[in-house]
Amino acid sequence: MSAQLIAAVRRGETAEAEKLLAGGADASTRETTTGLTVLMIAAGQADAPTVRELIRGGADVHTADRRAGATALHKACQGGSLEVVRALVEAGSFVDAVAPTTGHTALMDALWYKYPDIAEYLLGQGASLKVYTHYGFSLEQHFEYELNVNTFGKDKLLEAERHLNARRERDAAAVARQQLMAATAEGNTELAGKLLADGAKVDERSPDLGSFNDSHTPLLVAARDGHAEIVRLLLDAGADVNAVEPTFGAVPLHKAVYNGHAGITADLVRQDGTDLDFQGATNGYTPLHDSLWHGYEECARTLVEAGARLDLVGHDGKTPLDLAVEVFGAEHSLTGLIRDRAAA
Protein backbone atom coordinates (compact mmCIF):
# COMPACT_ATOMS: atom_id res chain seq x y z
CA MET A 1 0.00 0.00 0.00
CA SER A 2 2.92 2.36 0.70
CA ALA A 3 4.32 1.77 -2.79
CA GLN A 4 0.89 2.42 -4.29
CA LEU A 5 0.54 5.69 -2.38
CA ILE A 6 3.99 6.88 -3.50
CA ALA A 7 3.13 6.03 -7.11
CA ALA A 8 -0.21 7.83 -6.92
CA VAL A 9 1.41 10.95 -5.45
CA ARG A 10 4.19 10.86 -8.03
CA ARG A 11 1.54 10.79 -10.77
CA GLY A 12 -0.51 13.53 -9.14
CA GLU A 13 -3.51 11.23 -8.76
CA THR A 14 -5.25 12.86 -5.82
CA ALA A 15 -8.37 10.69 -5.96
CA GLU A 16 -6.28 7.51 -5.88
CA ALA A 17 -4.23 8.87 -2.99
CA GLU A 18 -7.44 9.69 -1.13
CA LYS A 19 -8.71 6.14 -1.71
CA LEU A 20 -5.48 4.62 -0.42
CA LEU A 21 -5.47 6.84 2.67
CA ALA A 22 -9.06 5.85 3.42
CA GLY A 23 -7.92 2.23 3.14
CA GLY A 24 -5.25 2.66 5.77
CA ALA A 25 -2.19 3.93 3.91
CA ASP A 26 0.17 6.00 6.05
CA ALA A 27 0.01 9.70 5.09
CA SER A 28 3.63 10.09 6.23
CA THR A 29 4.95 7.27 4.01
CA ARG A 30 8.55 7.86 2.98
CA GLU A 31 10.11 6.93 -0.37
CA THR A 32 13.18 4.78 0.23
CA THR A 33 15.20 5.92 -2.78
CA THR A 34 14.93 9.67 -2.14
CA GLY A 35 14.20 9.83 1.59
CA LEU A 36 11.22 12.08 0.84
CA THR A 37 7.81 11.69 2.41
CA VAL A 38 4.82 11.69 0.11
CA LEU A 39 3.94 15.13 1.45
CA MET A 40 7.34 16.44 0.38
CA ILE A 41 6.90 14.87 -3.05
CA ALA A 42 3.50 16.49 -3.54
CA ALA A 43 4.76 19.82 -2.22
CA GLY A 44 7.77 19.79 -4.53
CA GLN A 45 5.52 18.98 -7.48
CA ALA A 46 3.28 21.96 -6.57
CA ASP A 47 0.33 19.59 -6.25
CA ALA A 48 -1.99 21.49 -3.93
CA PRO A 49 -4.96 19.07 -4.01
CA THR A 50 -2.77 16.11 -3.04
CA VAL A 51 -0.98 18.16 -0.36
CA ARG A 52 -4.32 19.06 1.21
CA GLU A 53 -5.45 15.43 1.06
CA LEU A 54 -2.27 14.21 2.74
CA ILE A 55 -2.61 16.85 5.45
CA ARG A 56 -6.19 15.74 6.07
CA GLY A 57 -4.86 12.20 6.29
CA GLY A 58 -2.47 13.16 9.08
CA ALA A 59 0.80 13.75 7.22
CA ASP A 60 3.56 15.12 9.45
CA VAL A 61 4.36 18.66 8.28
CA HIS A 62 7.40 18.96 10.56
CA THR A 63 9.48 15.93 9.59
CA ALA A 64 12.61 16.34 7.46
CA ASP A 65 13.92 14.46 4.44
CA ARG A 66 16.75 12.00 5.04
CA ARG A 67 19.33 13.56 2.75
CA ALA A 68 19.21 17.34 3.18
CA GLY A 69 17.03 17.63 6.28
CA ALA A 70 14.53 19.90 4.53
CA THR A 71 10.84 20.00 5.39
CA ALA A 72 7.81 19.87 3.13
CA LEU A 73 7.70 23.67 3.32
CA HIS A 74 11.20 23.89 1.87
CA LYS A 75 10.10 21.59 -0.97
CA ALA A 76 7.03 23.74 -1.56
CA CYS A 77 9.27 26.78 -2.03
CA GLN A 78 11.16 24.81 -4.67
CA GLY A 79 7.90 23.79 -6.36
CA GLY A 80 6.69 27.36 -6.46
CA SER A 81 3.05 26.96 -5.45
CA LEU A 82 1.83 29.63 -3.07
CA GLU A 83 -1.30 27.55 -2.52
CA VAL A 84 0.82 24.65 -1.27
CA VAL A 85 2.91 26.92 0.94
CA ARG A 86 -0.22 28.42 2.44
CA ALA A 87 -1.74 24.98 3.10
CA LEU A 88 1.40 23.81 4.89
CA VAL A 89 1.71 26.94 7.03
CA GLU A 90 -1.96 26.77 7.96
CA ALA A 91 -1.38 23.13 8.95
CA GLY A 92 1.34 24.19 11.37
CA SER A 93 4.58 24.13 9.39
CA PHE A 94 7.28 26.17 11.11
CA VAL A 95 8.18 29.02 8.76
CA ASP A 96 11.70 29.38 10.15
CA ALA A 97 12.64 25.68 10.11
CA VAL A 98 16.31 25.38 9.15
CA ALA A 99 17.64 22.67 6.84
CA PRO A 100 20.62 21.20 8.73
CA THR A 101 22.78 20.80 5.64
CA THR A 102 22.48 24.33 4.21
CA GLY A 103 21.02 26.40 7.01
CA HIS A 104 18.31 27.57 4.62
CA THR A 105 14.90 28.60 5.86
CA ALA A 106 11.84 28.45 3.62
CA LEU A 107 12.21 32.18 2.95
CA MET A 108 15.77 31.68 1.72
CA ASP A 109 14.57 28.96 -0.62
CA ALA A 110 11.72 31.11 -1.91
CA LEU A 111 14.30 33.79 -2.78
CA TRP A 112 16.71 31.22 -4.24
CA TYR A 113 14.08 29.73 -6.54
CA LYS A 114 12.78 33.19 -7.45
CA TYR A 115 9.20 33.06 -6.20
CA PRO A 116 8.49 36.59 -4.94
CA ASP A 117 4.84 35.81 -4.15
CA ILE A 118 5.89 33.04 -1.77
CA ALA A 119 8.55 35.30 -0.24
CA GLU A 120 5.92 37.98 0.32
CA TYR A 121 3.60 35.49 2.01
CA LEU A 122 6.31 34.10 4.29
CA LEU A 123 7.37 37.61 5.25
CA GLY A 124 3.77 38.32 6.17
CA GLN A 125 3.81 35.21 8.37
CA GLY A 126 6.72 36.61 10.35
CA ALA A 127 9.60 34.72 8.72
CA SER A 128 12.84 35.86 10.33
CA LEU A 129 15.25 38.17 8.52
CA LYS A 130 18.04 37.51 11.04
CA VAL A 131 19.09 34.08 9.80
CA TYR A 132 22.36 32.69 8.50
CA THR A 133 23.23 29.85 6.17
CA HIS A 134 25.65 27.17 7.31
CA TYR A 135 28.12 28.47 4.74
CA GLY A 136 28.35 31.83 6.44
CA PHE A 137 25.91 34.06 4.54
CA SER A 138 23.31 36.19 6.27
CA LEU A 139 19.96 36.38 4.50
CA GLU A 140 21.02 39.73 3.07
CA GLN A 141 24.31 38.30 1.77
CA HIS A 142 22.51 35.26 0.41
CA PHE A 143 20.12 37.50 -1.51
CA GLU A 144 22.91 39.77 -2.77
CA TYR A 145 24.76 36.71 -4.06
CA GLU A 146 21.66 35.54 -5.92
CA LEU A 147 21.27 38.97 -7.53
CA ASN A 148 24.87 38.84 -8.75
CA VAL A 149 24.87 35.32 -10.21
CA ASN A 150 21.46 35.32 -11.91
CA THR A 151 20.77 36.71 -15.35
CA PHE A 152 17.49 34.87 -15.92
CA GLY A 153 14.62 35.90 -13.64
CA LYS A 154 16.37 38.91 -12.17
CA ASP A 155 13.11 40.84 -12.32
CA LYS A 156 11.61 38.34 -9.89
CA LEU A 157 14.50 38.79 -7.51
CA LEU A 158 14.06 42.55 -7.65
CA GLU A 159 10.37 42.11 -6.89
CA ALA A 160 11.31 39.96 -3.91
CA GLU A 161 13.71 42.69 -2.78
CA ARG A 162 10.81 45.14 -2.68
CA HIS A 163 8.94 42.77 -0.40
CA LEU A 164 11.99 42.43 1.85
CA ASN A 165 12.33 46.21 2.10
CA ALA A 166 8.63 46.60 2.82
CA ARG A 167 8.91 44.09 5.65
CA ARG A 168 11.90 45.96 7.12
CA GLU A 169 9.87 49.17 7.05
CA ARG A 170 6.91 47.46 8.76
CA ASP A 171 9.18 46.08 11.46
CA ALA A 172 10.72 49.48 12.10
CA ALA A 173 7.26 51.05 12.31
CA ALA A 174 6.08 48.34 14.73
CA VAL A 175 9.05 48.93 17.02
CA ALA A 176 8.40 52.68 17.02
CA ARG A 177 4.71 52.12 17.70
CA GLN A 178 5.13 49.68 20.59
CA GLN A 179 5.89 52.13 23.34
CA LEU A 180 4.49 49.78 26.00
CA MET A 181 6.99 47.09 25.05
CA ALA A 182 9.81 49.64 25.11
CA ALA A 183 8.78 50.88 28.55
CA THR A 184 8.52 47.31 29.81
CA ALA A 185 11.94 46.35 28.47
CA GLU A 186 13.42 49.43 30.14
CA GLY A 187 11.61 48.76 33.42
CA ASN A 188 9.96 52.17 33.26
CA THR A 189 6.98 51.60 35.54
CA GLU A 190 5.67 55.16 35.41
CA LEU A 191 5.59 55.25 31.61
CA ALA A 192 4.11 51.75 31.38
CA GLY A 193 1.30 52.77 33.72
CA LYS A 194 0.58 55.91 31.72
CA LEU A 195 0.53 54.02 28.42
CA LEU A 196 -1.86 51.41 29.81
CA ALA A 197 -4.12 54.14 31.16
CA ASP A 198 -4.13 55.69 27.69
CA GLY A 199 -5.27 52.41 26.12
CA ALA A 200 -2.07 50.73 24.94
CA LYS A 201 -2.59 47.20 23.61
CA VAL A 202 -1.63 45.06 26.56
CA ASP A 203 -0.91 41.87 24.60
CA GLU A 204 0.64 43.30 21.44
CA ARG A 205 3.55 41.12 20.39
CA SER A 206 6.99 42.37 19.47
CA PRO A 207 7.97 41.87 15.81
CA ASP A 208 10.42 39.10 14.93
CA LEU A 209 13.77 40.83 14.62
CA GLY A 210 16.08 38.03 15.70
CA SER A 211 16.03 39.44 19.24
CA PHE A 212 15.37 38.11 22.74
CA ASN A 213 11.89 39.65 22.65
CA ASP A 214 10.67 38.19 19.36
CA SER A 215 6.90 37.54 19.44
CA HIS A 216 6.81 38.25 23.18
CA THR A 217 4.04 40.15 24.90
CA PRO A 218 4.97 42.79 27.49
CA LEU A 219 3.96 40.39 30.29
CA LEU A 220 6.37 37.71 29.05
CA VAL A 221 9.20 40.28 29.04
CA ALA A 222 8.32 41.79 32.42
CA ALA A 223 8.06 38.36 34.05
CA ARG A 224 11.39 37.30 32.56
CA ASP A 225 13.26 40.49 33.41
CA GLY A 226 11.93 40.88 36.95
CA HIS A 227 9.85 44.05 36.56
CA ALA A 228 7.42 43.19 39.34
CA GLU A 229 5.46 46.44 39.41
CA ILE A 230 4.97 46.35 35.65
CA VAL A 231 3.79 42.73 35.91
CA ARG A 232 1.09 43.83 38.34
CA LEU A 233 0.06 46.71 36.09
CA LEU A 234 -0.18 44.40 33.09
CA LEU A 235 -2.21 41.82 35.02
CA ASP A 236 -4.58 44.53 36.24
CA ALA A 237 -4.99 45.65 32.62
CA GLY A 238 -6.05 42.14 31.59
CA ALA A 239 -2.85 40.79 30.07
CA ASP A 240 -3.00 37.17 28.92
CA VAL A 241 -1.40 35.28 31.79
CA ASN A 242 -0.91 32.20 29.61
CA ALA A 243 0.52 33.88 26.52
CA VAL A 244 2.98 31.51 24.82
CA GLU A 245 6.15 32.72 23.16
CA PRO A 246 7.11 30.59 20.14
CA THR A 247 10.86 30.18 20.62
CA PHE A 248 10.79 27.95 23.69
CA GLY A 249 7.03 27.51 23.95
CA ALA A 250 7.01 29.14 27.39
CA VAL A 251 4.39 31.12 29.31
CA PRO A 252 5.00 34.04 31.73
CA LEU A 253 5.18 31.67 34.70
CA HIS A 254 8.06 29.80 33.04
CA LYS A 255 9.85 33.10 32.51
CA ALA A 256 9.45 34.14 36.14
CA VAL A 257 10.60 30.89 37.74
CA TYR A 258 13.41 30.31 35.26
CA ASN A 259 14.97 33.54 36.48
CA GLY A 260 14.09 33.10 40.16
CA HIS A 261 11.61 35.97 40.49
CA ALA A 262 9.74 34.72 43.56
CA GLY A 263 7.46 37.74 43.97
CA ILE A 264 6.35 37.66 40.35
CA THR A 265 5.84 33.90 40.61
CA ALA A 266 3.49 34.44 43.55
CA ASP A 267 1.57 37.16 41.68
CA LEU A 268 1.13 34.95 38.62
CA VAL A 269 0.06 31.96 40.70
CA ARG A 270 -2.62 34.07 42.42
CA GLN A 271 -3.98 35.33 39.10
CA ASP A 272 -7.24 33.70 38.02
CA GLY A 273 -6.78 31.35 35.09
CA THR A 274 -3.02 30.83 35.37
CA ASP A 275 -2.04 27.41 34.03
CA LEU A 276 0.39 26.10 36.64
CA ASP A 277 1.21 23.03 34.60
CA PHE A 278 1.85 24.28 31.07
CA GLN A 279 4.57 22.16 29.48
CA GLY A 280 7.03 24.02 27.27
CA ALA A 281 7.51 22.84 23.72
CA THR A 282 11.31 22.68 23.91
CA ASN A 283 11.76 20.25 26.78
CA GLY A 284 8.31 19.46 28.14
CA TYR A 285 9.13 21.17 31.45
CA THR A 286 6.41 22.76 33.55
CA PRO A 287 7.16 25.91 35.57
CA LEU A 288 7.78 23.63 38.56
CA HIS A 289 10.36 21.67 36.57
CA ASP A 290 12.07 24.93 35.60
CA SER A 291 12.17 26.30 39.14
CA LEU A 292 13.73 23.08 40.42
CA TRP A 293 16.14 22.77 37.51
CA HIS A 294 17.52 26.24 38.25
CA GLY A 295 17.55 25.75 42.01
CA TYR A 296 14.98 28.40 42.97
CA GLU A 297 13.49 26.94 46.14
CA GLU A 298 11.02 29.72 46.93
CA CYS A 299 9.52 29.62 43.44
CA ALA A 300 9.22 25.85 43.61
CA ARG A 301 7.55 25.93 47.04
CA THR A 302 5.04 28.49 45.80
CA LEU A 303 4.07 26.23 42.91
CA VAL A 304 3.87 23.06 45.00
CA GLU A 305 1.72 24.75 47.63
CA ALA A 306 -0.53 26.17 44.89
CA GLY A 307 -1.23 22.63 43.68
CA ALA A 308 1.08 22.23 40.69
CA ARG A 309 0.97 18.69 39.32
CA LEU A 310 3.80 16.41 40.45
CA ASP A 311 3.26 13.57 37.98
CA LEU A 312 4.15 15.32 34.73
CA VAL A 313 7.40 14.34 33.03
CA GLY A 314 9.68 16.36 30.79
CA HIS A 315 11.04 15.08 27.50
CA ASP A 316 13.94 13.70 29.53
CA GLY A 317 11.53 11.52 31.52
CA LYS A 318 12.06 13.45 34.77
CA THR A 319 9.34 14.32 37.26
CA PRO A 320 9.61 17.27 39.66
CA LEU A 321 10.70 14.84 42.36
CA ASP A 322 13.52 13.56 40.15
CA LEU A 323 14.78 17.11 39.68
CA ALA A 324 14.39 17.98 43.35
CA VAL A 325 16.56 15.00 44.32
CA GLU A 326 19.09 15.87 41.63
CA VAL A 327 19.36 19.58 42.50
CA PHE A 328 18.57 19.84 46.24
CA GLY A 329 19.29 16.31 47.43
CA ALA A 330 17.10 13.50 48.72
CA GLU A 331 17.03 14.81 52.29
CA HIS A 332 16.21 18.46 51.55
CA SER A 333 12.95 19.75 53.01
CA LEU A 334 11.67 20.80 49.58
CA THR A 335 12.33 17.33 48.23
CA GLY A 336 10.48 15.91 51.23
CA LEU A 337 7.52 18.22 50.59
CA ILE A 338 7.31 17.11 46.95
CA ARG A 339 7.70 13.44 47.92
CA ASP A 340 4.94 13.69 50.53
CA ARG A 341 2.57 15.57 48.21
CA ALA A 342 3.21 13.09 45.38
CA ALA A 343 2.44 10.17 47.68
CA ALA A 344 -0.74 11.69 49.08
Side-chain angles (χ1 to χ4, degrees):
M1 190 173 283
S2 294
Q4 292 175 323
L5 180 60
I6 292 168
V9 172
R10 282 284 182 195
R11 294 192 297 265
E13 297 174 350
T14 305
E16 178 65 15
E18 181 181 6
K19 178 181 175 182
L20 290 164
L21 291 168
D26 183 358
S28 293
T29 292
R30 191 181 293 271
E31 189 174 55
T32 303
T33 54
T34 63
L36 302 176
T37 65
V38 284
L39 182 63
M40 294 172 193
I41 294 169
Q45 293 178 174
D47 184 352
T50 302
V51 164
R52 286 195 295 270
E53 194 58 48
L54 290 166
I55 290 171
R56 278 194 291 270
D60 185 352
V61 298
H62 298 293
T63 193
D65 77 69
R66 287 179 176 160
R67 297 183 66 185
T71 66
L73 186 57
H74 288 92
K75 302 302 178 185
C77 293
Q78 181 177 351
S81 169
L82 176 57
E83 186 178 354
V84 169
V85 169
R86 192 186 301 275
L88 289 168
V89 171
E90 290 175 354
S93 289
F94 181 42
V95 295
D96 285 328
V98 174
T101 49
T102 60
H104 283 200
T105 61
L107 176 58
M108 285 181 163
D109 277 356
L111 297 172
W112 191 19
Y113 289 106
K114 300 190 281 281
Y115 292 115
D117 57 335
I118 294 177
E120 181 182 23
Y121 173 75
L122 292 172
L123 288 165
Q125 294 300 307
S128 178
L129 302 182
K130 296 294 184 181
V131 288
Y132 289 82
T133 68
H134 291 333
Y135 46 87
F137 283 8
S138 66
L139 183 142
E140 289 82 2
Q141 290 167 327
H142 169 82
F143 185 75
E144 183 179 352
Y145 182 81
E146 290 305 311
L147 277 174
N148 289 334
V149 299
N150 277 278
T151 54
F152 176 75
K154 202 163 212 175
D155 56 325
K156 294 181 179 179
L157 287 170
L158 292 172
E159 182 181 347
E161 185 176 38
R162 289 193 290 274
H163 296 317
L164 285 169
N165 289 335
R167 164 64 185 279
R168 293 185 184 103
E169 291 172 3
R170 289 197 301 273
D171 285 349
V175 170
R177 183 181 68 248
Q178 291 183 347
Q179 297 179 58
L180 177 59
M181 178 60 82
T184 300
E186 294 169 3
N188 190 331
T189 304
E190 183 179 353
L191 179 57
K194 181 179 184 304
L195 291 167
L196 287 168
D198 290 342
K201 295 180 180 178
V202 70
D203 287 322
E204 188 170 16
R205 290 184 181 264
S206 179
D208 294 334
L209 305 174
S211 77
F212 205 29
N213 293 343
D214 281 2
S215 292
H216 281 51
T217 64
L219 181 59
L220 282 159
V221 172
R224 181 196 68 204
D225 294 350
H227 301 312
E229 292 182 42
I230 295 179
V231 166
R232 287 191 285 273
L233 287 171
L234 292 167
L235 292 174
D236 289 344
D240 182 0
V241 74
N242 296 315
V244 181
E245 53 85 12
T247 303
F248 298 102
V251 294
L253 194 53
H254 280 106
K255 300 293 188 181
V257 303
Y258 192 91
N259 293 280
H261 302 313
I264 293 175
T265 299
D267 285 339
L268 292 171
V269 164
R270 284 192 293 267
Q271 188 73 12
D272 288 342
T274 298
D275 185 350
L276 301 181
D277 304 307
F278 189 91
Q279 292 183 275
T282 301
N283 55 16
Y285 276 13
T286 65
L288 179 55
H289 281 87
D290 271 357
S291 62
L292 293 164
W293 175 30
H294 282 243
Y296 291 118
E297 180 179 353
E298 188 176 352
C299 292
R301 284 186 181 276
T302 297
L303 289 165
V304 173
E305 290 167 0
R309 285 179 60 179
L310 305 176
D311 59 328
L312 297 175
V313 298
H315 297 167
D316 55 8
K318 294 178 181 178
T319 65
L321 180 57
D322 294 327
L323 285 172
V325 171
E326 181 180 310
V327 176
F328 292 96
E331 304 306 317
H332 194 280
S333 62
L334 175 59
T335 304
L337 173 65
I338 294 172
R339 186 184 294 113
D340 292 344
R341 292 287 181 96

